[in-house]
Amino acid sequence: ADCHLLLQHRMAAPSTASPGLGSSGGSGSGGSASGIVSSNAMSAIVARIKDYAGTVFKQQKPWPEVLDRTALSKPTNLSEALGRIKKNAAYFRVNYLLVMLTTCVVTFVMHPSSLFVLGALLAAWIYLVFVRREPIVIGGRQLSEREKMMGMSALSFITIFFLTSVGTVFFSALSISLAVILAHGAFREPDNLFLDEQESQQSLLNIFTGAPSTSVASNV
């Protein structure tokens, strides 16, 4: 009888261990699936940004046209200067955007500590949004996705504008680029520029609200 009971116990042992193995396998497959979803989401976002950037940058004007010294003249009054700035901002908006981006990159490269802070914040955002799958628990309370995003945004804002010099460096770069853009826009004669009908009604900010569409060209 004892041998019979021992045999039954040994036969039952694998069956008790199998659920644990199954749950472990399920957990592993779940983590793998989460990683695949995160990777696919990040790849989709990167591809979308790349396509949009390619569409926008295709609309930049030739730099010899931007830097044409024969088209430079002093505006007679403030009204003429503002009119020139408006027309040139609509025509050269992609080139002006590149000037702003280049100025920001050069300025941050000259301030490596601020560049390091930006890199650390970017890495934190990528980890929080795409990598980390477990919920964040503070004081026994699980944070919702909205609370997580609001908290990270607040932390980024405080870090950039109060705890480090990143905000100062950024506004310095922005001020320099805007001064260059405004000076070029005021002194560049727009009389020989050809704008699309819809393009003539757009400004530099329209780059961030949607890719401009093409239409019939008209002389400014």
Side-chain angles (χ1 to χ4, degrees), residues 21-141:
L21 294 174
S23 62
S24 176
S27 176
S29 62
S32 177
S34 300
I36 293 175
V37 171
S38 301
S39 177
N40 291 340
M42 188 171 184
S43 299
I45 293 176
V46 171
R48 184 174 181 181
I49 293 175
K50 184 178 179 180
D51 291 341
Y52 183 79
T55 302
V56 170
F57 290 147
K58 284 180 181 178
Q59 301 169 25
Q60 65 175 311
K61 307 304 178 184
W63 286 101
E65 184 179 7
V66 179
L67 304 175
D68 184 9
R69 297 178 59 182
T70 62
L72 298 179
S73 66
K74 183 179 179 180
T76 57
N77 50 51
L78 180 60
S79 177
E80 182 182 1
L82 294 177
R84 288 183 177 185
I85 291 174
K86 182 178 180 182
K87 293 178 180 179
N88 285 322
Y91 187 77
F92 295 116
R93 60 186 180 279
V94 177
N95 301 81
Y96 288 167
L97 175 63
L98 291 175
V99 170
M100 295 176 65
L101 292 178
T102 303
T103 305
C104 287
V105 169
V106 172
T107 304
F108 275 103
V109 168
M110 295 173 62
H111 297 80
S113 60
S114 298
L115 189 62
F116 174 79
V117 172
L118 281 183
L121 286 175
L122 178 61
W125 274 101
I126 292 176
Y127 172 77
L128 188 67
V129 176
F130 298 106
V131 179
R132 183 184 177 90
R133 296 291 97 190
E134 298 81 6
I136 298 178
V137 180
I138 299 179
R141 180 177 177 274

Side-chain angles (χ1 to χ4, degrees), residues 183-200:
H184 179 273
F187 283 87
R188 177 62 162 84
E189 295 180 1
D191 297 336
N192 60 339
L193 303 181
F194 290 88
L195 293 179
D196 293 342
E197 184 178 350
Q198 181 179 359
E199 192 178 37
S200 63

Side-chain angles (χ1 to χ4, degrees), residues 169-203:
V169 174
F170 174 74
F171 282 116
S172 298
L174 190 63
S175 299
I176 294 173
S177 58
L178 284 178
V180 173
I181 290 171
L182 291 176
H184 179 273
F187 283 87
R188 177 62 162 84
E189 295 180 1
D191 297 336
N192 60 339
L193 303 181
F194 290 88
L195 293 179
D196 293 342
E197 184 178 350
Q198 181 179 359
E199 192 178 37
S200 63
Q201 301 174 358
Q202 296 179 340
S203 63

